[in-house]
Amino acid sequence: MLYALFWMSLILLVYIYAGYPLLVRLAARLAPEPVRTHDGETPRVSVLIAAFNEAADIEATLRNKLAQNYPADRLELLVISDDSDDGTDDIVRNVAAGSAIPVRLFRQVPRQGKTAGLNTLVPEASGDILLFSDANSQWDPDAIRYLVSNFADPEVGYVTGKMVYVNDAGNLVGDGCSAYMKYENWLREQETRTGSIIGVDGGIDAMRKALYRPLNPDQLPDFVQPLKVVEQGYRVVYEPRALLKEPALSDSSSEFSMRVRVSLRALWALKDMAALMNPLRHGFFALQLISHKLLRYLAFIPLATFTLATLLLMPRGGIYPLAFLGLVALYGLAWIGSKNESAGRNFGPLYSVPYYFLLLNVASLKAVLAFLRGEKRVVWKPRGG
């Protein structure tokens, strides 16, 4: 039994982090050439922003969108304030008063969360394409052009851009987060070639308005809405030229809390959209959803069983002492990384990658326990708040 537990756990871990990426890479190589985008496309677009107490960032975010290299007469901004009480609303009104591009403010009282806010904004939008921005998102000037160019392909229903974490301080959490996003973005490039990607960046997304489906307030729009698009027979693709620059969180407690919150809502989304994980109906996409999301969120289980089996099998010699040394290295480097982070020191990816890897898995464990208790999180605080 121990031998079986060891090898099954190891094979599953290898599949989750290396086997699936290699599989999707192979599928991408075998896929036909993608449809070429047309950067000259300029459909009417509506940028939707849900904000709660974002007085520190909302003006810069609005001016960033107003400065996009996109025809002014084809662009509008809609902001919904989720019962903000810090002056966010006044800032939006002041920007709107001096803007030639429509900036419209809506207010949601009492607080109901981002999803309910988007449900309110969408019927008010006049654009054929909806763009979703966080209240602190800074896009590159050509981001909208690059996003909408993908809709020249009639099979594309949803597009996500590329989030680049800026880590000026060079801290361990930021370095680990950046390494993780590079891995995720590479996966998205491969998945786009196979059909649809699994997972998007909610701070720089676009979709056809006709495909939008109102969601329950407790559903995660960045996860469920793309799955609803796939359910309707359209593709979800990745556009690496549309850049979103966002500062990485500088401390492990904030990053951990954010990862728990996102993981918990994603688990509920997987439950709501479980029908898409049926390979008999949804083929390779079902395998993608299971491998990239469900197994990733549950990876702490084979990690724990592999650790336990290795400890018990180590005295028996063979490969097991080597596996034990590997685990000592993993946990040891992560522990040193934790100490370095507490002391404000950073010695590069040797420590940041193991540290962030374990942070993600512990966050998933906490999210799964909350999911099993029936816990849901609807409202949010500004990032880092």
Side-chain angles (χ1 to χ4, degrees), residues 57-299:
D57 298 305
I58 192 65
E59 181 173 357
T61 298
L62 293 175
R63 298 202 182 281
N64 170 258
K65 305 305 176 293
L66 294 173
Q68 285 284 304
N69 292 330
Y70 201 79
D73 62 343
R74 312 292 289 168
L75 173 66
E76 68 171 356
L77 277 61
L78 281 70
V79 180
I80 187 158
S81 172
D82 196 19
D83 202 9
S84 298
D85 57 10
D86 68 338
T88 294
D89 299 16
D90 291 334
I91 295 172
V92 176
R93 293 189 188 100
N94 288 337
V95 173
S99 173
I101 295 173
V103 179
R104 302 163 62 196
L105 174 67
F106 299 81
R107 187 164 173 83
Q108 183 169 258
V109 180
R111 285 195 72 194
Q112 299 173 57
K114 177 179 180 179
T115 308
L118 294 179
N119 286 341
T120 298
L121 288 183
V122 170
E124 303 292 338
S126 63
D128 298 315
I129 303 298
L130 306 175
L131 296 113
F132 305 107
S133 169
D134 288 338
N136 64 342
S137 293
Q138 294 292 306
W139 297 356
D140 267 12
D142 291 309
I144 292 180
R145 283 189 178 275
Y146 288 140
L147 287 170
V148 303
S149 69
N150 290 270
F151 294 107
D153 181 351
E155 294 183 356
V156 171
Y158 198 109
V159 185
T160 192
K162 180 179 182 179
M163 181 184 290
V164 179
Y165 280 117
V166 180
N167 181 32
D168 293 334
N171 57 74
L172 277 161
V173 171
D175 285 349
C177 184
S178 295
Y180 171 75
M181 285 310 303
K182 288 177 182 177
Y183 171 74
E184 280 293 302
N185 287 332
W186 178 86
L187 263 182
R188 289 170 181 170
E189 289 180 357
Q190 312 312 310
E191 290 175 338
T192 294
R193 291 290 305 274
T194 68
S196 286
I197 67 172
I198 307 296
V200 303
D201 289 318
I204 184 163
D205 293 345
M207 71 176 294
R208 298 183 191 274
K209 182 184 178 182
L211 300 180
Y212 185 89
R213 296 294 179 266
L215 303 179
N216 297 329
D218 62 347
Q219 290 182 308
L220 181 63
D222 310 345
F223 197 170
V224 178
Q225 200 62 248
L227 294 180
K228 292 284 188 182
V229 168
V230 172
E231 192 175 50
Q232 294 173 75
Y234 290 80
R235 295 175 59 215
V236 178
V237 301
Y238 170 61
E239 175 50 77
R241 299 176 299 171
L243 298 178
L244 159 64
K245 294 181 180 179
E246 188 165 310
L249 293 175
S250 59
D251 64 281
S252 58
S253 61
S254 297
E255 181 72 17
F256 182 78
S257 297
M258 184 270 288
R259 289 295 169 187
V260 171
R261 182 173 66 253
V262 170
S263 299
L264 175 59
R265 298 192 72 185
L267 289 168
W268 283 109
L270 287 171
K271 180 179 182 294
D272 293 340
M273 304 300 293
L276 289 176
M277 290 188 281
N278 181 353
L280 297 179
R281 294 188 59 188
H282 298 283
F284 190 68
F285 182 81
L287 177 63
Q288 289 179 262
L289 190 55
I290 293 169
S291 302
H292 194 161
K293 288 300 179 183
L294 181 61
L295 292 182
R296 180 85 68 82
Y297 286 125
L298 299 179

Side-chain angles (χ1 to χ4, degrees), residues 310-369:
T310 299
L311 290 173
L312 295 175
L313 290 171
M314 181 187 61
R316 305 187 188 185
I319 194 176
Y320 306 110
L322 293 176
F324 174 75
L325 291 176
L327 286 173
V328 169
L330 173 67
Y331 292 119
L333 291 171
W335 181 79
I336 296 172
S338 174
K339 293 298 182 181
N340 286 340
E341 195 258 338
S342 299
R345 298 190 301 268
N346 181 17
F347 298 130
L350 179 64
Y351 300 102
S352 63
V353 171
Y355 178 45
Y356 199 74
F357 171 78
L358 290 182
L359 182 147
L360 289 177
N361 275 281
V362 175
S364 293
L365 167 61
K366 185 172 181 179
V368 167
L369 293 176

Side-chain angles (χ1 to χ4, degrees), residues 15-44:
Y15 173 75
I16 292 170
Y17 293 106
Y20 170 68
L22 290 175
L23 176 63
V24 79
R25 173 60 175 162
L26 177 61
R29 283 183 173 273
L30 298 176
E33 284 294 319
V35 173
R36 297 295 180 184
T37 59
H38 299 278
D39 293 345
E41 296 282 324
T42 57
R44 182 161 182 78

